[in-house]
Amino acid sequence: MPYGEMDAMHMDVLREIGNIGAGNATTALAKLINAKIDMKVPKVEMVDFQHLASVVGNEEDLMVAVMVTLSNDVDGMMMFLMDKKSGTYLIEQMMAGSGMPVNEEFGELEHSVISEIGNIITGSYLSALASLLNMKIDMSIPYLSIDMAGAILSVPAIEFGKIGDEVLLIQTDFGDEVEVKGYFILIPDQESYTRILSALGM
C-alpha cells in the first residue's frame, strides 16, 4: 500500500510503533544521562517531504541530526533530529561530572558525545521496532550533521524521494528541567513498508 493511501486503522498502527519506539528511546536516554525523563505522548504523522523542514521548525533553524541507513528485513533510513539548544543541553548532561566546559560551537568532543547519544537513542528505537515486528533490523554507523533544517532534510528527500512523497514523522517531547523536542523520521523503502504492515497483520 502506498504511503498516501493509509486509512485511520493504519495510522493507529503507525502511532503505536511511534509510541513504543519513542518510549524505549526515552528510557535509554534517561539511563545515559542519569536523570529522570518524562515523555509526552508522541505525535505521529505522515508528512510530505516538501513540508518536512517547516514542520520541525524553520528551514533556517540550526539543527543536530543523527542519520543511519537501515538494512536486513527493513531497508531505508532513519534520522533523529533536534534543535541545537537541545543538543547542547544533552551534551552538558552527559559531561556534567567531567568538569570540562561544553563548547557551544561543538568541537570534536561535543561531536563525539552527541553522536553517541544519537546512536543510543536511534538504536533503542530500532530495537523496540525489531522486537515488535519480529524482524532483524541492522543500522549503519551514525552520520552526524549540524546544519540548517532545510539543508539536513534535503538529504533524505533526495535519497528517498523516489520511493514516495511522504515520511513517517514521530515528534517526542522529553526532558526533566529542560524540555527537549526531538523528531524521529523513519523512511522505509516501499517493500520494507509493506513487510512492516504485513508483520503487524495489516
Side-chain angles (χ1 to χ4, degrees):
M1 175 186 294
Y3 292 151
E5 295 180 11
M6 288 187 302
D7 57 21
M9 186 167 65
H10 288 95
M11 279 307 301
D12 284 344
V13 170
L14 293 178
R15 284 192 187 95
E16 187 59 21
I17 289 175
N19 279 325
I20 292 170
N24 212 48
T26 303
T27 300
L29 181 61
K31 290 179 181 175
L32 190 64
I33 66 175
N34 194 27
K36 180 180 181 294
I37 296 180
D38 296 319
M39 183 189 81
K40 294 181 181 177
V41 176
K43 181 181 179 183
V44 181
E45 57 187 325
M46 298 300 295
V47 177
D48 196 297
F49 263 124
Q50 67 185 48
H51 297 132
L52 198 51
S54 60
V55 171
V56 302
N58 186 296
E59 287 200 6
E60 296 182 358
D61 287 348
L62 205 56
M63 308 290 284
V64 177
V66 177
M67 294 175 274
V68 295
T69 53
L70 311 178
S71 58
N72 217 312
D73 290 336
V74 174
D75 292 308
M77 179 181 190
M78 186 169 190
M79 179 185 291
F80 177 68
L81 189 70
M82 60 188 157
D83 62 37
K84 191 163 180 281
K85 181 181 176 183
S86 295
T88 302
Y89 169 71
L90 292 180
I91 293 171
E92 288 172 346
Q93 291 297 104
M94 276 283 286
M95 295 173 58
S98 69
M100 299 176 67
V102 174
N103 177 3
E104 293 192 6
E105 296 305 312
F106 282 22
E108 187 176 334
L109 177 61
E110 287 76 17
H111 275 76
S112 176
V113 172
I114 202 68
S115 290
E116 181 62 16
I117 291 171
N119 188 34
I120 289 171
I121 290 175
T122 307
S124 299
Y125 190 105
L126 291 172
S127 175
L129 183 59
S131 295
L132 179 69
L133 301 173
N134 195 26
M135 287 181 170
K136 187 169 177 56
I137 305 175
D138 295 326
M139 71 179 207
S140 67
I141 294 170
Y143 169 72
L144 176 69
S145 179
I146 301 170
D147 206 335
M148 290 185 295
I152 287 174
L153 293 170
S154 67
V155 175
I158 292 168
E159 287 290 315
F160 295 95
K162 55 186 176 290
I163 297 171
D165 297 326
E166 295 178 310
V167 297
L168 179 63
L169 178 71
I170 301 108
Q171 177 185 329
T172 309
D173 295 338
F174 53 86
D176 42 13
E177 297 91 3
V178 176
E179 185 174 82
V180 174
K181 185 174 287 186
Y183 300 89
F184 292 98
I185 300 170
L186 182 62
I187 315 170
D189 66 17
Q190 190 64 58
E191 285 184 17
S192 300
Y193 174 70
T194 302
R195 283 197 293 271
I196 288 170
L197 290 180
S198 177
L200 293 166
M202 305 300 285

